[in-house]
């Protein structure tokens, strides 16, 4: 039976940075939404689209450069595509979870959103850590891992 693996300090710090970058992006997105709707005559739906683009851009950039320390531009379009797909999946999952918690369990919508956000934040982190910003193993590291595996059995 496999034992539950407790994440090391490095993974915990990465997750905290991931959550902080999401919070920063959300604050910027909400601030722009409020600014555009309260200070201009822009319809709130259009303001929402523009602020969402800003939030997406900030979260992608912070997570790529700061959280996962990926400064390479090679494969950027692939990363953007995977990030956008992960975001779409998280939005669908978040909406479904929130609706389920409100309708089936009669939670207040803010509490339901908080709970759904915890789950979808973890899902987004796993997807982005494993697929979007995953650094492929170098050939040397692969050989070292195989050799180490031979001597540890």
């Amino acid at each position: 039976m496999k034992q539950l693996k407790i994440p090391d300090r490095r993974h915990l710090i990465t997750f905290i940075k991931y959550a902080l970058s999401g919070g920063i992006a959300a604050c910027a997105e909400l601030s722009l939404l409020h600014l555009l709707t309260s200070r201009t005559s822009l319809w709130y739906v259009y303001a929402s689209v523009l602020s969402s683009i800003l939030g997406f851009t900030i979260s992608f950039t912070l997570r790529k450069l700061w959280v996962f320390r990926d400064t390479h531009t090679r494969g950027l379009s692939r990363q953007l595509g995977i990030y956008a797909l992960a975001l779409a999946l998280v939005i669908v999952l978040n909406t479904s979870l929130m609706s389920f918690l409100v309708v089936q369990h009669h939670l207040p919508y803010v509490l339901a959103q908080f709970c759904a956000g915890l789950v979808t934040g973890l899902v987004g982190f796993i997807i982005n850590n494993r697929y979007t910003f995953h650094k492929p193993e170098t050939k040397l590291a692969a050989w070292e891992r195989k050799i180490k595996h031979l001597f540890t059995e």
Side-chain angles (χ1 to χ4, degrees), residues 44-65:
Y44 72 92
V45 174
Y46 294 148
S48 176
V49 169
L50 291 174
S51 63
S52 293
I53 291 169
L54 176 71
F56 177 89
T57 303
I58 290 172
S59 67
F60 177 82
T61 304
L62 283 175
R63 288 173 174 165
K64 178 175 175 52
L65 300 176

Side-chain angles (χ1 to χ4, degrees), residues 23-43:
I24 291 167
C27 287
E29 182 176 338
L30 292 172
S31 297
L32 182 61
L33 177 64
H34 176 71
L35 180 73
L36 291 174
T37 55
S38 66
R39 306 273 191 226
T40 70
S41 59
L42 192 62
W43 186 34

Side-chain angles (χ1 to χ4, degrees), residues 67-149:
V67 177
F68 296 108
R69 299 176 187 257
D70 181 357
T71 57
H72 299 288
T73 55
R74 188 172 3 121
L76 183 63
S77 58
R78 181 189 74 72
Q79 288 178 328
L80 276 168
I82 294 171
Y83 192 82
L85 284 173
L87 181 63
L89 173 70
V90 164
I91 289 170
V92 169
L93 179 60
N94 185 78
T95 305
S96 301
L97 278 173
M98 184 181 170
S99 297
F100 174 76
L101 292 172
V102 169
V103 173
Q104 297 296 321
H105 294 284
H106 310 289
L107 287 179
Y109 69 91
V110 174
L111 180 58
Q113 175 58 48
F114 178 78
C115 294
L118 291 176
V119 172
T120 56
L122 184 59
V123 169
F125 174 76
I126 291 168
I127 291 170
N128 286 311
N129 189 35
R130 289 195 179 164
Y131 302 105
T132 310
F133 301 112
H134 175 71
K135 294 178 183 150
E137 189 176 46
T138 64
K139 289 182 181 180
L140 178 61
W143 276 103
E144 287 174 349
R145 183 180 43 78
K146 287 176 185 176
I147 291 169
K148 182 178 177 184
H149 180 71

